[in-house]
Amino acid sequence: MHFPQDNFSDPEIRYKDAPQAPDKFRPILDRYFKSYSIAAINQRDRAEINSENYKTAISIAGARRLFLLRKFKTMTDPEQIDFFLLLLQKLCRLNLPVSQTVKSLADANFIRHEGNYWALFEFIAGAHFTPSLAALKHVAESLAALHITFCKLAPEEISYIDELSRKSQTYFNKIKTYSAKDFLSYALLDAVAVVEREKNAIDILPKQIIHSDFHPHNVIMNEDRVAAILDFDAMRISQRAREVAVTAYRFCRQFFVGDRSFDKDAKSIFTFFLTSYEAINPLSPEEKRLLPTLLKDEFLTKLLFVLKGVYEEGNSAWAADLPKFLSAIAEVDYFL
């Protein structure tokens, strides 16, 4: 069994020369450091929708230090940005592997420069997920620990995350529900029927805060250990079993991408992920029964979101993901 590569399959993190560096960034870094010199600034070498990220090397008192400088693109509310960064600090104090923020000289979590909001983080060296059982085990454990920690947030924090997530123009807000008629032209009626049969069962599953975008390019690995979980911008309240299903699929399929040779089948790899997750945060029998349905539901929702955007709204931003979502629906039965 071999799957085509997707946008999560390349583990290497690449950078390119940043335009107008260092002059463009000096006024920003002056807000963080008094005496320093810029050694190098390189921009993340991939298309980024939510942010721009720059690997920033500076010298302070003769010592070279690395930081990640982030420009927020889709998150433009300063109150929301401050909440997001404070939450990262809280997760860090709770020993979760997340990006560590750097305060400005004015003790602010972020700064505003030329109409844009910027934040600085300690740089985390590593790569994205490369398939190995040890790495998969730690990804599953990290997700389980994250879900447990989310449940410990204060009620007002949970409420605010829920409020913010409902305002975003993401697939789960724009596609609240669907039926067979929405997919008549796309030969996906069998998958829709499966989800519709289980709609009531899905609706009564327990919900909590989830990361909502846990994929191989949102973790940085040091060998087989998760060094950091990235990009909490899409947090929302939903079924944790939904995130377990989607995350397991996204990571497990990387074992079978291209011409990689692996001595286990897809179902056993998925089971390994699930066992690793449940060693920390057990799922109920009903949650486990509904994993394949939740996975189909998630990708049907994303697929319809893209289709409506392309054909009804003239928005092609996510059009390149259509083949990926179609493949995901077809591939569910390999894993579950």
Side-chain angles (χ1 to χ4, degrees):
M1 177 195 340
H2 295 294
F3 297 135
Q5 287 198 354
D6 61 19
N7 52 318
F8 304 136
S9 299
D10 184 0
E12 186 176 352
I13 301 175
R14 300 179 181 85
Y15 293 88
K16 60 185 178 182
D17 292 338
Q20 304 174 16
D23 293 340
K24 173 182 176 181
F25 300 94
R26 197 178 304 279
I28 300 170
L29 295 173
D30 284 347
R31 307 267 294 272
Y32 284 93
F33 307 104
K34 290 182 178 178
S35 300
Y36 73 98
S37 61
I38 298 175
I41 297 181
N42 301 98
Q43 185 176 0
R44 184 72 190 275
D45 189 14
R46 74 169 187 180
E48 297 184 291
I49 294 176
N50 296 323
S51 62
E52 291 177 9
N53 294 280
Y54 299 88
K55 181 180 180 181
T56 305
I58 67 172
S59 294
I60 304 176
R64 183 183 175 99
R65 294 187 61 187
L66 286 176
F67 299 92
L68 185 79
L69 182 62
R70 182 178 195 184
K71 173 185 171 183
F72 293 94
K73 292 169 65 177
T74 55
M75 194 183 295
T76 57
D77 180 348
E79 181 181 351
Q80 182 178 356
I81 293 172
D82 199 47
F83 175 83
F84 165 74
L85 295 172
L86 286 169
L87 179 62
L88 283 183
Q89 294 166 19
K90 183 172 186 175
L91 296 178
C92 190
R93 291 194 299 271
L94 293 171
N95 297 317
L96 281 175
V98 298
S99 303
Q100 296 186 42
T101 59
V102 178
K103 293 287 190 78
S104 73
L105 293 173
D107 199 37
N109 291 318
F110 63 94
I111 67 164
R112 191 171 190 266
H113 176 68
E114 295 184 345
N116 296 302
Y117 294 102
W118 298 79
L120 195 68
F121 301 88
E122 298 286 349
F123 187 81
I124 302 170
H128 293 307
F129 176 76
T130 299
S132 75
L133 291 181
L136 187 67
K137 180 176 185 291
H138 202 245
V139 166
E141 292 170 347
S142 298
L143 179 63
L146 181 64
H147 284 169
I148 289 172
T149 303
F150 276 157
C151 287
K152 296 177 181 178
L153 294 181
E156 59 270 21
E157 293 173 313
I158 295 172
S159 177
Y160 188 55
I161 290 171
D162 188 30
E163 176 188 341
L164 292 175
S165 72
R166 292 176 187 272
K167 294 178 180 178
S168 64
Q169 294 298 307
T170 52
Y171 70 94
F172 52 79
N173 282 331
K174 297 194 74 173
I175 308 297
K176 292 292 188 182
T177 187
Y178 56 82
S179 65
K181 69 179 182 179
D182 291 306
F183 289 90
L184 284 175
S185 302
Y186 307 113
L188 297 167
L189 296 184
D190 287 346
V192 175
V194 168
V195 176
E196 287 185 334
R197 284 198 301 270
E198 297 286 8
K199 185 70 170 60
N200 291 336
I202 291 173
D203 287 344
I204 62 175
L205 286 180
K207 294 182 178 180
Q208 64 161 85
I209 296 173
I210 64 171
H211 181 281
S212 198
D213 202 22
F214 207 107
H215 60 64
H217 279 184
N218 271 344
V219 295
I220 293 179
M221 310 290 296
N222 278 332
E223 296 183 346
D224 288 332
R225 304 287 295 177
V226 175
I229 303 167
L230 309 177
D231 288 354
F232 286 73
D233 308 36
M235 287 183 298
R236 59 169 160 147
I237 293 178
S238 188
Q239 300 92 352
R240 63 164 180 167
R242 177 183 302 275
E243 179 151 75
V244 171
V246 175
T247 304
Y249 163 77
R250 283 169 159 175
F251 282 86
C252 291
R253 86 177 298 278
Q254 302 308 320
F255 286 78
F256 307 99
V257 164
D259 59 357
R260 287 196 179 116
S261 177
F262 198 68
D263 62 356
K264 295 184 182 296
D265 62 79
K267 284 183 169 59
S268 67
I269 295 298
F270 195 101
T271 300
F272 180 85
F273 179 98
L274 195 59
T275 300
S276 301
Y277 178 96
E278 288 201 282
I280 292 177
N281 194 17
L283 297 169
S284 70
E286 183 69 351
E287 285 177 304
K288 286 189 282 188
R289 183 184 74 82
L290 288 170
L291 288 176
T293 307
L294 288 164
L295 189 52
K296 290 179 180 178
D297 180 48
E298 186 75 2
F299 284 111
L300 284 169
T301 304
K302 289 186 174 185
L303 180 61
L304 189 55
F305 169 76
V306 176
L307 290 171
K308 283 183 176 289
V310 171
Y311 294 108
E312 295 181 15
E313 302 169 6
N315 178 6
S316 59
W318 300 97
D321 282 335
L322 274 174
K324 180 176 72 173
F325 297 154
L326 285 166
S327 296
I329 295 166
E331 290 169 2
V332 170
D333 291 338
Y334 283 107
F335 291 94
L336 289 160

